[in-house]
Amino acid sequence: MNEFLKDLNQEQYDAVVSTEGPVMVIAGAGSGKTRVLTYRIAYLLANGVDPFNILALTFTNKAAREMKERVMNLVGEREGRNVWMGTFHSIFARILRIEGHQLGYPSNFTIYDADDSKRLIRQIIKEMKLDNKVYLPSYISFRISMAKSNLMTPEMYANNPDIVSADESARKPFIKNIYKNYEARLKRADAMDFDDLLFNTYILFKNFGQVLYKYQSKFKYILVDEYQDTNQAQYLILNLMAARLENICVVGDDAQSIYAFRGAHIGNILNFKNDYPDYKLFKLEQNYRSTKNIVAAANKLITYNKDQIHKTVWTDNEEGVLIGMIRATSDNEEGSLIANAIFETKMNMQQPNKSFAVLYRTNAQSRSIEEALRKLNIPYRIYSGLSFYSRKEIKDLLAYIRLSINHNDEDALQRTINNPARGIGKTTIEKLVVAADAYNTSLWEVTSRPRRFQVNLNAGTLSKLDAFITMIKSFAAEIKKKDAFEVAQLIAKSSGLLRMYREEDTPEGISRVENIEELLNAIKEFVEKGAEQNEGDMEYQGTLDEFMQDVALLTDADKNDDDNDKVALMSVHAAKGLEFPYVFISGLEENLFPSIQSISTRSDLEEERRLFYVALTRAMKKVTLTFAESRYRWGQFTITEPSRFFDEIDDKLIDMPKRAGMHPMNDFRGMDKRKSGGTSSQPRNMQPLTTQQQSPVSFEASDTSALQTGMQVEHPKFGKGKVIAVEGQGPNKKATVFFNAIGKKNLLLRFAKLKIIS
């Protein structure tokens, strides 16, 4: 009956079959966490549990899809498809569609994504006549999101003296007013943002006992993925839902808790034993992903954290190569050396581009790496760039769809009312907005009946408004009659958007038409796949509002999901949950990684260390650590210092490059060792990383103020060469030198160490 259980190791098996009562599974990196979750669900189904009584929560739609597919492969589609499985936001949105009337929301409420929220905040800042350079929409959005993640209403925010004082100290005393207006505008638009999906679910369960009891009884078994990433709202909702039966299984790894900046609380996983004193603990410690050297390096690193659930990760994989290190003189050279290393490994090991990932602490670091990869014609892809659903033409069409579904969506109305241009100008829209505010009603109501709300408009404008309203109503009438693709196609054509972009007759216009066609293709695929996957499910109709909910709840991981053969460039945060044969971790310098903002407290520094742990454990075959001796930051040239994290990896695991005349460990780590009082042991395998010439120990640079074209020079790293050009004055004076070993280099003379030979 449960033949599939033979695929599990003993620890995984024990975690799967222990189905009753609270369970915590601590899953080390690469230890088969997803397998335990999917097999646990399959085991419940195989032993007679109704799929409708199982709730499985993840953080990405991609993870939920993969888990559901695995479950269906194990126990069959009929059972697997009916499990309530999805992201926190998608599951709670589904519940709020059913129960939201208790809180005064219609079932067709709009979900605002991050761009929609910032657009509304930007509009409120403008209406309040505040300086948008002081009140940055992205910062205000972050503050509101953090408040909601901690279940703080606008009233609670305004009455919290610490928060108000902090805002005043930051010279942003009106954030509390923006938050209040923002919430009022969302409610008036029958809209919720991402954080509201959690906030309102908590309020629903807390204030409506009969609703809570309904879902406590329905979800007899609750499974939670990546529990270490839960915030306060998610934590409290889970506690409420599990309170009756306590059949809750949480899976995660405290060593990979890296989202405190989003409101995640590592204490949720550390304190599970206090919330459920009779819990069972299982540890998955066998790593199936990485080599022994990588696992050993990660294990040693994480021992420096005080707040953790101790485990010893091990692997039966090969020992593997030592951890590589690249030392560069500048951030530009760092990018070049990384690109060269990727090129050489591709050629020598016959690896595709997608085997490589370059990780960095901040997105700004990608520039030099991108430039170097382009020079070698190595294709790459940046994660968290502008996503498909953030493009203007896509947002335009989606706004029409949103307004057709929910007429009170003010953001959608303002985006569509004169796009394409139909003679409804800015002044008219402002009059309508003022009237809506004055009468405390929706913008749609005022636009539909401007005379009733005493809006002073001429006959021509009134006629245009009436035509617009009639068009949107006609779209709405079709939504319940036809499938999502048919209606979306109708809206794209009848709204005039397709015609407008076709008439641009520019490469950009053509691209926009193609993107709209791609969106229509996605909707067509949604309808066809949904019909196939939900056969027999009476709830599924393939309507536009169902598609829009899917789109609104896409995560970054979902938006960047493609299988192109490209090198992956991404922040370490974006890399969580992924794996690559070859990983480069760049910018390992003090004040960059760890970040200068995260070294003032132990808890912040421990999160930075967990972030580095995540970076290390993304690698399967080899990880290479890189740093630059100098870097431009905020336009300033900065001499940098290697990261303290180098000291927290066993020396014998790193293939250290050497510099002539110096012990490499002292050279790289002397400053950090003096801080910690530690010493270093002699490393193995001290081979240079490059073939560039090494200078003699006695090298002394010359005064280059009189440097001229044609002179023979020597550089401590690049060797001998000839000056072929000199330009600039004073501190900006530059020289172009052709070096015998590496070719042409452009050097800023105030930093270049050159010895004039002749």
Side-chain angles (χ1 to χ4, degrees), residues 684-704:
R684 301 185 215 163
N685 250 338
M686 298 186 296
Q687 297 299 318
L689 288 179
T690 70
T691 58
Q692 295 167 354
Q693 295 183 11
Q694 301 292 333
S695 62
V697 178
S698 59
F699 184 91
E700 291 183 8
S702 304
D703 177 3
T704 55

Side-chain angles (χ1 to χ4, degrees), residues 186-205:
L186 281 177
K187 192 69 174 69
R188 194 169 80 185
D190 287 336
M192 298 186 199
D193 64 18
F194 258 38
D195 297 300
D196 285 328
L197 298 176
L198 306 182
F199 196 136
N200 288 333
T201 301
Y202 172 74
I203 297 300
L204 179 70
F205 287 163

